[in-house]
């Protein structure tokens, strides 16, 4: 059993209940479960991703990182979400002695 099992259980018992809300829209547990399954299949078959590999997500703040996180739980890679808007260069956020 992996982390994606949690979504599968919700999709089984409350398929139409909103799982995610984003910009005035929502994604049901059924649709989230479907997307996770599709992404897991793509990761494993098309891209050859498996346990011990690394998968990164670089993108805007959208529901897709959640899909990647749960699909990676099925397939086995380590997930690294990347921020597409990195902090400005410079030491302004680093404490100095």
């Amino acid at each position: 059993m992996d982390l994606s099992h949690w979504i599968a259980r919700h999709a089984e018992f409350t398929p139409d209940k909103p799982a995610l809300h984003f910009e005035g829209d929502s994604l049901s547990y059924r649709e989230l479960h479907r997307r996770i399954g599709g992404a897991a299949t793509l990761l494993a078959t098309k891209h050859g991703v498996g346990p011990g590999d690394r998968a990164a997500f670089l993108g805007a703040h959208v529901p897709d990182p959640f899909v990647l996180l749960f699909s990676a739980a099925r397939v086995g890679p380590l997930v690294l979400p990347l921020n597409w808007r990195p902090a400005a260069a410079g030491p302004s956020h680093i404490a100095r002695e």
Side-chain angles (χ1 to χ4, degrees):
M1 187 179 317
D2 58 55
L3 184 63
S4 70
H5 180 74
W6 174 67
I7 299 297
R9 296 285 291 169
H10 277 281
E12 182 180 344
F13 290 107
T14 56
D16 298 321
K17 183 177 179 181
L20 297 172
H21 294 283
F22 182 75
E23 292 185 347
D25 201 7
S26 63
L27 190 66
S28 70
Y29 279 103
R30 175 188 292 127
E31 179 61 18
L32 181 59
H33 179 63
R34 187 190 67 75
R35 288 186 186 188
I36 290 167
T41 299
L42 283 174
L43 285 173
T45 60
K46 184 176 181 182
H47 299 293
V49 174
D53 291 334
R54 287 152 183 86
F57 178 84
L58 175 62
H61 299 284
V62 295
D64 297 333
F66 291 102
V67 173
L68 176 61
L69 174 70
F70 287 108
S71 61
R74 287 187 188 178
V75 179
L78 172 72
V79 175
L80 175 65
L82 303 172
N83 186 346
W84 67 279
R85 285 189 303 193
S92 62
H93 64 282
I94 301 172
R96 300 221 181 236
E97 291 183 31

